[in-house]
Amino acid sequence: MTVENLSSNKTFGGWNKQYSHQSKTLNCAMRFAIYLPPQASNGQKVPVLYWLSGLTCSDENFMHKAGAHRIASELGIAIVAPDTSPRGSDVADDEGYDLGQGAGFYVNATQAPWNKHYQMYDYIVDELPALVESMFPVTDKRSIAGHSMGGHGALVIALRNSDAYQSVSAFSPISNPINCPWGKKAFTAYLGRDMTTWSDYDASTLMRNASAENGKSFVPALVSQGEADDFLAEQLKPEVLEAAAKNSGYPLALESHEGYDHSYFFIASFIEQHLRFHGSHLSVS
C-alpha cells in the first residue's frame, strides 16, 4: 500500500503528521492525521485514541482546534483523526451539508450510489487501525472518541466492538439518530427505508440493549453536553441515551455544562478531562 506523508509539524515534543493512502474499503484516496507523542520517538509503543469528527469536518479540525497535543504528550497517547467521509470527483455527494462528502455518519451504506464508497464503519473498525498499527510505534490498545456525528460514530463503534476498545467518550453526540432529522435523512439515504436496519447504528438503542453477560464487557463511557447547544433538543437527545444507560446499567457518565455550545470552544475546554479519562483506561495515567 502506498502511503504518502503530506505534512509534519513538531508540537509538545511529538509530531502531528498527515497522510494520504488508497483505501480498499472506501475505493478512494483517504487522509488521516496522527499525533505521535514524544514517547513514540524513544523506542516506546503507545496506545491510540481514535477521534471521529462531526458534520462538515475533516481530519484537520480536531488536530488544529482542540488543543489536545499537550495532554496527549504528557500521557503518552497517540491520536488518530480520520476524515469524516470518502471524497473525490467520482464519490457520490449531495448539495446538503448533512449528507454525502463530509457526512459519512460512520455507517456501511447499503444503498446506491452510496454503497460504492461509503463504508466508513468498516474503515474505522478494521482498515485504519490495521494500517496505523503496521506503520507506527503503537500498541493494539485503543480508545475512541468523537464530536456530534463523530460522537455518534464513536459510541456505536465502541458498543458494537466492546472487545476492541478500552473506553469511549463523546462531545455533543447525535445520541438517537433514528429519531432526529440529521439521522433520518442520512440513514434513509445510506441504509434505505427499512428502519429495522437502522438500530445497528443508534447508540441509544445499542446502549439500552447492552449486556455484560456471556463474556461481553461494557466499555466505560463519558459524554459531555453543552446546555447552550443550538442542536440539543432537536438533533442530539442526550436524555434518550441517559435513559438507555439506566435501563441496562451501562457505565455512562453524562455531564451537562451550562453556557457551552456545539463548537470547538466547548471541546477545547474539556478535552483534558476526556484525555485523562481515556488515559486511566489505557493504563498510562
Side-chain angles (χ1 to χ4, degrees):
M1 178 185 296
T2 301
V3 182
E4 180 184 1
N5 179 218
L6 303 176
S7 66
S8 298
N9 301 95
K10 193 167 187 178
T11 170
F12 292 98
W15 289 92
N16 186 76
K17 300 186 177 186
Q18 186 184 56
Y19 290 87
S20 174
H21 74 105
Q22 190 67 31
S23 168
K24 293 182 179 179
T25 304
L26 303 177
N27 298 305
C28 67
M30 285 294 287
R31 282 189 341 206
F32 69 91
I34 183 169
Y35 176 68
L36 292 166
Q39 294 86 339
S41 298
N42 297 325
Q44 179 181 339
K45 287 191 173 184
V46 298
V48 183
L49 174 67
Y50 288 84
W51 173 270
L52 308 184
S53 292
L55 288 165
T56 74
C57 293
S58 72
D59 57 297
E60 296 182 332
N61 295 73
F62 178 82
M63 294 303 202
H64 290 191
K65 297 180 179 181
H69 294 162
R70 178 177 64 85
I71 303 302
S73 173
E74 174 193 326
L75 295 175
I77 298 174
I79 303 175
V80 172
D83 203 348
T84 52
S85 79
R87 298 183 194 264
S89 58
D90 64 335
V91 175
D93 201 6
D94 186 84
E95 293 182 355
Y97 73 95
D98 51 359
L99 185 67
Q101 296 186 33
F105 268 84
Y106 306 102
V107 304
N108 285 340
T110 59
Q111 306 299 300
W114 312 103
N115 55 351
K116 181 180 178 182
H117 297 286
Y118 286 74
Q119 306 295 312
M120 285 297 293
Y121 177 88
D122 281 352
Y123 177 72
I124 301 299
V125 172
D126 296 319
E127 184 179 9
L128 184 60
L131 174 61
V132 168
E133 290 166 17
S134 71
M135 281 189 60
F136 302 103
V138 300
T139 71
D140 60 0
K141 293 187 71 173
R142 311 169 193 163
S143 290
I144 191 165
H147 170 233
S148 193
M149 177 186 72
H152 137 75
L155 288 168
V156 165
I157 287 170
L159 285 160
R160 289 179 57 176
N161 301 274
S162 61
D163 58 336
Y165 299 93
Q166 305 299 310
S167 53
V168 58
S169 75
F171 289 88
S172 317
I174 304 173
S175 298
N176 188 210
I178 64 175
N179 288 313
C180 79
W182 277 341
K184 289 180 179 179
K185 178 178 179 179
F187 286 8
T188 300
Y190 297 144
L191 304 175
R193 296 189 177 277
D194 180 1
M195 295 179 65
T196 61
T197 66
W198 296 8
S199 59
D200 285 345
Y201 297 104
D202 185 272
S204 293
T205 300
L206 293 169
M207 192 169 284
R208 184 180 302 111
N209 296 330
S211 172
E213 298 176 352
N214 300 321
K216 294 183 178 180
S217 60
F218 287 139
V219 181
L222 169 65
V223 171
S224 296
Q225 176 62 59
E227 294 181 2
D229 193 318
D230 289 341
F231 305 111
L232 179 57
E234 183 179 31
Q235 302 283 12
L236 305 181
K237 302 184 183 296
E239 71 281 358
V240 181
L241 188 70
E242 187 171 37
K246 289 179 179 178
N247 182 77
S248 63
Y250 200 93
L252 168 69
L254 195 157
E255 301 180 352
S256 295
H257 297 280
E258 182 182 0
Y260 287 92
D261 58 18
H262 200 71
S263 71
Y264 265 83
F265 293 110
F266 175 42
I267 295 171
S269 298
F270 294 96
I271 192 62
E272 179 173 350
Q273 177 197 11
H274 280 239
L275 287 173
R276 293 195 185 281
F277 165 77
H278 290 297
S280 68
H281 292 288
L282 290 166
S283 301
V284 297
S285 63

